[in-house]
Amino acid sequence: MSRTVRRKMPSRLRWREQIAAYGFLAPALVLFTVFAWFPILNSVVMSFQKVNLADASKSTWVGFDNYTRMISDPTFVASWSNSFQFAVLSIIIGYFVPIVVAVFVNEMRLARGFFRIVYFLPSAIPPLVGILVWRLIYDPRPGGLLNSLMAGVGIPPQQWLQDVVLVKPSILVMMTWGGFGATMLIYLATLQDLPTELYEAAEIDGASIWQRARHILIPYLRPTMLVLLIVQILGLVQIFIEPLVLTKGGPGQATMTPVFTLYRKGFLSGDYGLAAAWSVMLMIVLGVISIVYLRLTGIGRTSGDR
Amino acid sequence: MLLVLAFSIPVIAQESTFESPITLPDTVAEGREVTVTVAACIGEDQQEQRDAFDAQLARFSAVYPNVKLERVQYCWNPESFAALVAGGNLPTLFAVPATEYQRLIKDGTAINLAPYFEKFTLDGVFNPTLMALLSDADGNPYGIPEFSYAQGIGWDIAALKEAGYDAPADTWPELGAQAKALADPDTGKAGFAMFMSGGAGGWHWTNLAYGFGATELIRDNGDGTYTAVYGEGPAVEAMQFMHDLRWKDGINALPLDLNSNPTFETVDGRAAIFMSPADGSIGWLRVNMPDVDLTRFGYTAVPKSPDGKRYTLSGGSAQFVFSGASADAQEAAVVYYLWKTLSAEEFAASRVIFQNTQAGGGTPVLPVYAGTVQEAVEAFDTQFITMPVENYQGFYDALNAGEIVLVPEPPFAQDFYTAIAEVLTTVLTDENADVAALMAANAASFQSGILDVAVSK
């Protein structure tokens, strides 16, 4: 690794050099300050208050009460436990789907572009529309779409979204359907950077598709797989719209999630201090996952740091 | 629930002989210039109604030239409401649904209207039961009711007739037996439908609990502490009732989809009896799905509890005045709303706007006013009836007999509804669920996790 040579520059010269850069940066800094950093900071402040929205001066400091209430809440453990289960199940159910599809599409000699589009199409559908369509597919009645298909192979009607065991996998299948196309394109782009001579040599040597995948493709994809795994977990911790639209957090507490609970506490119960505590907790968890992500990708490190 | 008409009912208002119960002031805000923003939930396609609304605002400014009124298009929703309050941008005069009344009172978003009720001698003008829901513990009114409904029972007349029933049964256990008889497991058709999941599920179930004889679910101890008392007694019976509807005798009398809408289930022929407020079901259908033949459906009051009363949570909407507005604007907003609804000059115009922008005429709802004002409203509104009111006689009979008793939402209502819905969805998805144990455990965790820590806040 090369080391950059740091030379001490006269400060006035550096400021002159950088003033244009800061000028270009200023609009983004202002927007981020107003719409991201200030709300984040305000959330932290609110998490220590009994919030009066109508008159902020009447908000009172309550110390860590909101955090105590958050941890005491019967849905706290369930929400985070569900997030963990969603993350684990998603690795089993959905993580490898885009990889497999990318490998197959990459192997195609004809109509590769067509299949790229076909597999990407679900990602182009607005999530809410997709969820409503899947609600019809998961109709629990004997004449429901999926149940009718199942009946064709002798499987009795299932309560896809009403069964504690089935509800999480059912939601994850739906999410995989909606998301795997975009992820597949990332894998496909990575695969297309693969040195062709390496792959052709394996083909000439008679390696099967499985051998080529195992010894060439998967090792080559491994860094991308790791990064996308973290991105997937980041997304799963924030599951919200699916329980909101499909299950209302049930059956029982099976699909309660931190963001869904945060929404309920803030917008339905009007308990903004408690909701802020949930959001700070969520921010910390997402921050930790993001740090892992940044470490894995090397983003933020300059060549001189390496 | 605020509703927006998808079409306009062609109505020519009759002349009104309404006698105003109030005397309005000659000046507002001592003549100082003041601007008042007034929220209006009128659909984009209802230009005629918007024009009528604006014309009324202009007439008020003609009477009180120092007051400028501005219509703000706003239909309440929880997300934008919080942002508007925090930003100080809530309209001076705004409406919220009944679920929000007590929160607005407690968090200081709305002003205390007691001085205005006293000044304009409004005691006895409004339905006292509704005013109780709109007042704080000391009896100070914070809102002015504009619309109210109770839960009730709707039914598919043909489906019940085919099974040999004239109407839904008058007690919950009997209605349960009826639902079993009406259910068809082969097609998944339900005998009885209600909301079963999330906050709406908890809200509906709470009506059942009162119907089984519960008198309180969360006890206000009066010293700032609360006790969850729903872990035993009639509340457990109500939950067992739901469990049995789903599992007993091998017949599922409920919709399989826990997230289904009871009205849609019935309209689509997938349920025979449903629980819902009239404005959110048959009234909603009249407004939003005018092609549905409403003569197919009957509507009556909720079944009787063991003491012969029909206890029900209520809903509706009321007008509030934003505490963040100036004192002059607050005064002008109150005077405007009273002038609009209770002055002899504007009574007829306001009823026309209300009827053309709210639920279908003839929807069985609760009286907003009392005494002669209510009589005048009912007499005037007769011209707007488009619903088959003869099918709702059971509701009106119960109302007129004083059997319908409104119960307030329990303390920590939204948290409670969510918590009890967890039990509800569990017993509806687990045949072997121990209902009594689940209810006791839920009440205990609600006590320790919500009520006890809330007190220390």
Side-chain angles (χ1 to χ4, degrees):
Chain A
M1 297 238 178
S2 65
R3 280 190 167 275
T4 51
V5 179
R6 293 174 187 271
R7 285 183 299 174
K8 193 166 183 178
M9 307 277 286
S11 60
R12 187 193 292 175
L13 183 61
R14 292 186 68 183
W15 170 245
R16 271 193 202 145
E17 283 177 354
Q18 291 176 5
I19 195 165
Y22 280 110
F24 282 114
L25 199 59
L29 277 176
V30 170
L31 290 174
F32 267 90
T33 303
V34 173
F35 294 110
W37 296 324
F38 174 72
I40 289 171
L41 190 65
N42 206 29
S43 290
V44 175
V45 171
M46 287 168 73
S47 73
F48 293 102
Q49 291 181 325
K50 182 181 178 185
V51 177
N52 185 316
L53 279 185
D55 184 353
S57 68
K58 289 182 181 167
S59 294
T60 51
W61 297 99
V62 294
F64 284 91
D65 275 10
N66 287 327
Y67 289 93
T68 307
R69 293 166 62 216
M70 174 182 71
I71 294 166
S72 305
D73 194 295
T75 58
F76 179 79
V77 173
S79 296
W80 285 106
S81 166
N82 287 335
S83 277
F84 177 75
Q85 290 175 51
F86 270 122
V88 172
L89 279 171
S90 80
I91 295 169
I92 299 167
I93 292 172
Y95 180 62
F96 295 100
V97 172
I99 301 171
V100 172
V101 175
V103 168
F104 278 109
V105 171
N106 194 52
E107 288 286 328
M108 288 176 180
R109 295 291 177 266
L110 289 171
R112 186 189 291 178
F114 171 76
F115 281 101
R116 263 202 308 246
I117 292 171
V118 165
Y119 288 127
F120 182 73
L121 273 180
S123 302
I125 294 174
L128 185 58
V129 175
I131 287 170
L132 293 176
V133 170
W134 275 92
R135 186 176 175 173
L136 294 176
I137 293 171
Y138 285 142
D139 189 328
R141 285 167 297 167
L145 198 57
L146 188 53
N147 275 340
S148 296
L149 292 173
M150 291 292 172
V153 290
I155 297 175
Q158 301 295 314
Q159 314 297 299
W160 303 104
L161 297 172
Q162 285 77 27
D163 185 306
V164 174
V165 176
L166 288 176
V167 67
K168 285 192 185 79
S170 297
I171 286 177
L172 285 169
V173 166
M174 184 180 70
M175 292 178 74
T176 302
W177 172 85
F180 88 93
T183 315
M184 178 209 69
L185 286 186
I186 296 171
Y187 283 122
L188 203 55
T190 308
L191 285 175
Q192 285 170 359
D193 284 342
L194 182 69
T196 50
E197 59 272 22
L198 194 64
Y199 209 71
E200 285 165 2
E203 271 187 313
I204 291 166
D205 288 345
S208 67
I209 185 170
W210 166 241
Q211 288 171 317
R212 294 199 296 271
R214 185 181 168 199
H215 297 292
I216 300 173
L217 296 181
I218 292 176
Y220 192 75
L221 286 175
R222 192 170 293 143
T224 308
M225 288 169 66
L226 195 55
V227 169
L228 289 178
L229 175 67
I230 302 293
V231 171
Q232 183 169 325
I233 291 171
L234 273 171
L236 285 162
V237 173
Q238 299 177 74
I239 287 183
F240 170 60
I241 193 168
E242 290 81 6
L244 181 74
V245 176
L246 290 177
T247 63
K248 307 288 186 290
Q253 297 181 323
T255 54
M256 290 275 181
T257 63
V259 180
F260 181 67
T261 307
L262 188 164
Y263 170 82
R264 283 197 305 105
K265 297 294 180 188
F267 292 114
L268 299 184
S269 298
D271 200 338
Y272 300 105
L274 181 57
W278 274 88
S279 72
V280 170
M281 170 97 193
L282 190 67
M283 185 172 68
I284 291 169
V285 171
L286 293 176
V288 169
I289 297 171
S290 298
I291 288 169
V292 173
Y293 171 79
L294 294 175
R295 287 282 168 109
L296 288 173
T297 56
I299 294 171
R301 282 181 291 186
T302 66
S303 58
D305 298 329
R306 292 179 187 228
Chain B
M1 189 179 294
L2 297 176
L3 298 172
V4 178
L5 270 181
F7 68 105
S8 295
I9 302 167
V11 167
I12 300 170
Q14 295 171 351
E15 287 297 317
S16 164
T17 55
F18 179 69
E19 287 182 26
S20 175
I22 59 170
T23 304
L24 288 163
D26 294 332
T27 59
V28 172
E30 295 176 353
R32 292 182 290 271
E33 296 288 321
V34 60
T35 299
V36 176
T37 47
V38 180
C41 181
I42 305 176
E44 292 286 334
D45 57 342
Q46 293 183 282
Q47 191 57 48
E48 197 180 328
Q49 306 312 325
R50 287 174 178 229
D51 291 344
F53 195 94
D54 289 343
Q56 196 170 40
L57 298 183
R59 288 199 296 277
F60 183 81
S61 292
V63 178
Y64 300 100
N66 62 313
V67 181
K68 183 182 175 192
L69 298 174
E70 292 178 357
R71 174 172 54 82
V72 177
Q73 175 60 25
Y74 181 66
C75 300
W76 183 86
N77 79 65
E79 292 91 349
S80 63
F81 186 79
L84 287 171
V85 174
N89 295 320
L90 197 62
T92 314
L93 183 68
F94 61 96
V96 299
T99 49
E100 306 303 305
Y101 294 170
Q102 285 300 317
R103 193 205 305 178
L104 290 197
I105 294 170
K106 284 177 182 153
D107 71 11
T109 303
I111 65 164
N112 179 356
L113 297 175
Y116 297 104
F117 269 62
E118 190 176 343
K119 182 177 179 183
F120 297 115
T121 59
L122 292 172
D123 284 344
V125 171
F126 299 102
N127 181 343
T129 311
L130 299 185
M131 288 315 301
L133 303 175
L134 285 160
S135 301
D136 65 11
D138 297 326
N140 295 309
Y142 281 74
I144 303 174
E146 63 172 2
F147 176 61
S148 181
Y149 59 78
Q151 293 286 352
I153 299 293
W155 76 95
D156 180 333
I157 294 170
L160 263 68
K161 192 166 280 183
E162 193 179 327
Y165 301 112
D166 290 331
D170 226 16
T171 67
W172 282 110
E174 290 166 4
L175 190 140
Q178 229 177 23
K180 288 278 183 189
L182 290 160
D184 182 352
D186 292 336
T187 61
K189 180 169 179 171
F192 174 69
M194 59 179 254
F195 285 119
M196 294 177 287
S197 67
W203 182 56
H204 265 191
W205 176 86
T206 299
N207 290 278
L208 250 78
Y210 288 118
F212 272 84
T215 53
E216 56 185 355
L217 299 167
I218 295 171
R219 179 179 301 148
D220 183 344
N221 299 318
D223 58 357
T225 65
Y226 298 86
T227 306
V229 294
Y230 62 88
E232 56 187 15
V236 177
E237 287 177 43
M239 193 60 80
Q240 186 69 48
F241 171 78
M242 292 301 292
H243 175 274
D244 292 349
L245 273 182
R246 172 70 181 88
W247 303 107
K248 197 175 178 185
D249 302 328
I251 299 170
N252 177 19
L254 295 167
L256 278 166
D257 184 354
L258 296 184
N259 300 297
S260 57
N261 179 305
T263 303
F264 293 159
E265 291 296 294
T266 311
V267 169
D268 292 343
R270 297 193 296 262
I273 301 173
F274 66 96
M275 177 160 70
S276 179
D279 87 301
S281 53
I282 47 180
W284 189 92
L285 291 169
R286 163 61 75 223
V287 171
N288 295 285
M289 299 173 71
D291 292 338
V292 172
D293 177 10
L294 289 181
T295 61
R296 289 169 49 203
F297 307 105
Y299 192 83
T300 189
V302 292
K304 289 177 179 172
S305 74
D307 70 359
K309 296 289 186 185
R310 302 172 191 271
Y311 295 99
T312 166
L313 293 168
S314 68
S317 64
Q319 294 281 339
F320 290 82
V321 177
F322 183 34
S323 59
S326 69
D328 285 351
Q330 291 173 358
E331 181 189 341
V334 174
V335 174
Y336 159 71
Y337 192 71
L338 296 178
W339 169 86
K340 168 182 168 168
T341 53
L342 293 174
S343 74
E345 298 78 24
E346 293 299 320
F347 172 80
S350 295
R351 293 312 302 169
V352 172
I353 293 172
F354 179 81
Q355 288 292 343
N356 284 348
T357 52
Q358 298 277 332
T363 302
V365 291
L366 298 175
V368 167
Y369 301 98
T372 55
V373 178
Q374 180 61 27
E375 287 168 11
V377 166
E378 287 175 10
F380 187 82
D381 285 357
T382 304
Q383 63 185 305
F384 298 96
I385 290 175
T386 59
M387 308 276 284
V389 289
E390 63 277 12
N391 289 0
Y392 315 143
Q393 197 55 47
F395 182 89
Y396 291 117
D397 288 347
L399 185 66
N400 294 332
E403 291 175 355
I404 297 177
V405 179
L406 298 188
V407 287
E409 306 226 21
F412 301 87
Q414 295 298 337
D415 284 320
F416 171 70
Y417 293 152
T418 303
I420 204 68
E422 290 167 17
V423 182
L424 183 57
T425 53
T426 300
V427 304
L428 296 180
T429 53
D430 180 4
E431 184 174 4
N432 300 315
D434 183 339
V435 175
L438 283 170
M439 288 292 283
N442 191 275
S445 69
F446 195 81
Q447 182 69 47
S448 61
I450 303 288
L451 301 180
D452 288 348
V453 287
V455 172
S456 65
K457 186 170 62 166

